[in-house]
Amino acid sequence: MAKSKPAKKAAKKAAPKKAAKKAAPKKAAKKAAPKKAAKKAAPKKAKAKRKPNAAFMAPLTPSATLAEVVGSKPLARTEVVKKIWDYIKKNKLQDSKNRRMINADAKLKPLFGKGQISMFDLTKIVSNNLKK
């Protein structure tokens, strides 16, 4: 048993030497890094109210098929999209499983050209059915 004890002590002594060699380069790297100066917080500017794009607000005349849903008087593009969404929600035309899809009823089928469209295609269809 006496022989096994010195072997353990030798193993313990070897381990700290390896750790000391590895730790030395890390300390040198920390000393070489420059310290950053503390920055003062810049005063925040008050946000100006955002102006809407005039192209969205220009009244446009809907086509005959679009007029069945939103009415025939000239409306802004944003108002047309709102009215179509009101119609879709009122008549529960949003697909129950995939909420991104809109099911067409008798009024919307001629407008969409098919039985179901994606909500992302809605603005494209609105643009095609509005005139200056």
Side-chain angles (χ1 to χ4, degrees), residues 65 68-69 84 87-88 90-94 102-117:
T65 53
E68 290 180 22
V69 180
I84 291 175
Y87 180 83
I88 290 167
K90 179 181 146 193
N91 294 308
K92 298 178 182 172
L93 297 174
Q94 218 171 349
I102 301 165
N103 299 321
D105 65 349
K107 285 185 179 180
L108 292 178
K109 195 156 189 156
L111 186 66
F112 293 169
K114 50 187 173 181
Q116 191 179 48
I117 65 157

XYZ file of all heavy atoms in Angstrom, residues 65 68-69 84 87-88 90-94 102-117:
214
model
N -67.653 44.694 -59.923
C -67.655 43.513 -59.051
C -67.241 43.866 -57.616
O -67.798 43.344 -56.666
C -66.715 42.415 -59.587
O -65.424 42.969 -59.802
C -67.239 41.829 -60.881
N -70.072 45.737 -55.529
C -71.112 44.922 -54.891
C -70.785 44.674 -53.416
O -71.686 44.514 -52.604
C -71.247 43.583 -55.608
C -71.851 43.684 -56.990
C -71.959 42.333 -57.672
O -71.971 41.308 -56.964
O -72.026 42.317 -58.907
N -69.505 44.663 -53.075
C -69.084 44.388 -51.703
C -68.893 45.672 -50.898
O -69.366 45.779 -49.762
C -67.779 43.555 -51.687
C -67.326 43.261 -50.270
C -67.953 42.277 -52.472
N -63.777 45.206 -47.065
C -63.767 43.804 -47.494
C -63.581 42.901 -46.279
O -64.268 41.889 -46.141
C -62.672 43.551 -48.553
C -63.048 44.245 -49.859
C -62.488 42.061 -48.794
C -61.986 44.172 -50.925
N -66.755 42.645 -44.343
C -67.674 41.743 -45.040
C -67.287 40.277 -44.788
O -68.158 39.432 -44.518
C -67.657 42.054 -46.546
C -68.563 41.175 -47.362
C -69.918 41.460 -47.469
C -68.069 40.058 -48.023
C -70.766 40.646 -48.213
C -68.894 39.243 -48.771
C -70.247 39.546 -48.870
O -71.068 38.732 -49.596
N -65.993 39.985 -44.853
C -65.509 38.611 -44.643
C -65.823 38.146 -43.224
O -66.308 37.028 -43.017
C -63.987 38.529 -44.930
C -63.719 38.697 -46.423
C -63.392 37.221 -44.420
C -62.269 38.947 -46.779
N -68.099 39.435 -41.121
C -69.551 39.440 -40.892
C -70.182 38.148 -41.419
O -71.058 37.562 -40.774
C -70.174 40.653 -41.573
C -71.669 40.762 -41.446
C -72.161 41.992 -42.183
C -73.523 41.716 -42.768
N -73.913 42.723 -43.733
N -69.722 37.689 -42.575
C -70.274 36.486 -43.207
C -69.491 35.212 -42.873
O -69.763 34.155 -43.442
C -70.343 36.677 -44.723
C -71.332 37.765 -45.085
O -72.478 37.747 -44.657
N -70.885 38.739 -45.844
N -68.501 35.318 -41.970
C -67.681 34.183 -41.520
C -67.088 33.411 -42.700
O -67.241 32.208 -42.826
C -68.502 33.258 -40.625
C -68.975 33.958 -39.372
C -69.815 33.067 -38.513
C -70.284 33.859 -37.302
N -71.257 33.150 -36.511
N -66.384 34.144 -43.564
C -65.801 33.552 -44.766
C -64.341 33.140 -44.591
O -63.762 32.560 -45.506
C -65.922 34.528 -45.943
C -67.365 34.865 -46.336
C -67.379 35.946 -47.400
C -68.094 33.638 -46.820
N -63.759 33.425 -43.434
C -62.386 32.996 -43.183
C -62.409 31.496 -42.896
O -63.266 31.013 -42.147
C -61.829 33.760 -41.979
C -60.401 34.133 -42.117
C -59.945 35.078 -41.017
O -60.738 35.608 -40.268
N -58.656 35.281 -40.937
N -59.308 32.721 -47.369
C -60.627 33.349 -47.402
C -61.477 32.574 -48.396
O -61.103 32.423 -49.563
C -60.524 34.828 -47.820
C -59.620 35.591 -46.850
C -61.900 35.461 -47.908
C -59.173 36.932 -47.358
N -62.625 32.101 -47.935
C -63.553 31.379 -48.794
C -64.452 32.388 -49.499
O -64.918 33.348 -48.881
C -64.395 30.398 -47.970
C -63.545 29.370 -47.277
O -62.573 28.886 -47.829
N -63.898 29.037 -46.039
N -64.714 32.175 -50.761
C -65.536 33.095 -51.542
C -67.001 32.691 -51.462
O -67.337 31.515 -51.516
C -65.073 33.101 -52.987
N -67.886 33.701 -51.343
C -69.322 33.456 -51.451
C -69.767 33.961 -52.814
O -68.947 34.207 -53.703
C -70.080 34.107 -50.288
C -69.993 35.628 -50.289
O -69.173 36.181 -51.056
O -70.729 36.263 -49.513
N -71.053 34.126 -53.017
C -71.579 34.534 -54.329
C -71.053 35.898 -54.777
O -70.783 36.098 -55.966
C -73.107 34.551 -54.288
N -70.882 36.842 -53.846
C -70.390 38.183 -54.209
C -68.873 38.198 -54.446
O -68.389 38.941 -55.293
C -70.722 39.185 -53.108
C -72.179 39.596 -53.060
C -72.361 40.678 -52.019
C -73.790 41.147 -51.955
N -73.971 42.206 -50.939
N -68.158 37.399 -53.696
C -66.691 37.436 -53.784
C -66.118 36.528 -54.866
O -65.005 36.754 -55.321
C -66.067 37.066 -52.439
C -66.260 38.060 -51.306
C -65.626 37.539 -50.035
C -65.693 39.418 -51.648
N -66.864 35.514 -55.287
C -66.333 34.571 -56.281
C -65.970 35.266 -57.603
O -64.894 35.027 -58.145
C -67.313 33.427 -56.512
C -66.663 32.276 -57.241
C -67.381 30.994 -56.964
C -66.543 29.873 -57.539
N -66.792 28.610 -56.918
N -66.830 36.157 -58.154
C -66.407 36.854 -59.384
C -65.202 37.779 -59.156
O -64.394 37.984 -60.055
C -67.627 37.673 -59.800
C -68.703 37.397 -58.839
C -68.189 36.480 -57.787
N -65.093 38.302 -57.954
C -63.979 39.192 -57.613
C -62.667 38.403 -57.491
O -61.642 38.808 -58.035
C -64.287 39.914 -56.296
C -63.323 40.992 -55.849
C -63.339 42.165 -56.809
C -63.670 41.455 -54.449
N -62.724 37.258 -56.807
C -61.528 36.444 -56.596
C -61.166 35.626 -57.827
O -60.003 35.362 -58.074
C -61.726 35.488 -55.420
C -61.847 36.167 -54.074
C -62.259 35.435 -52.976
C -61.553 37.504 -53.890
C -62.370 36.026 -51.732
C -61.669 38.104 -52.652
C -62.083 37.358 -51.569
N -62.150 35.174 -58.563
C -61.892 34.340 -59.735
C -61.785 32.860 -59.397
O -61.640 32.032 -60.286
N -61.836 32.520 -58.110
C -61.802 31.128 -57.676
C -62.494 31.019 -56.321
O -62.891 32.030 -55.730
C -60.378 30.593 -57.623
C -59.378 31.436 -56.872
C -57.976 30.889 -57.029
C -56.950 31.839 -56.406
N -55.611 31.337 -56.567
N -62.605 29.820 -55.798
C -63.352 29.579 -54.567
C -62.662 30.002 -53.290
O -63.324 30.292 -52.300
N -61.341 30.059 -53.297
C -60.604 30.388 -52.086
C -59.292 31.080 -52.447
O -58.623 30.687 -53.387
C -60.322 29.098 -51.299
C -59.795 29.315 -49.913
C -59.563 28.005 -49.186
O -58.963 27.092 -49.739
N -60.028 27.906 -47.948
N -58.946 32.132 -51.671
C -57.673 32.829 -51.882
C -56.966 33.008 -50.548
O -57.575 32.882 -49.486
C -57.858 34.210 -52.548
C -58.624 35.162 -51.626
C -58.491 34.103 -53.906
C -58.394 36.609 -51.921
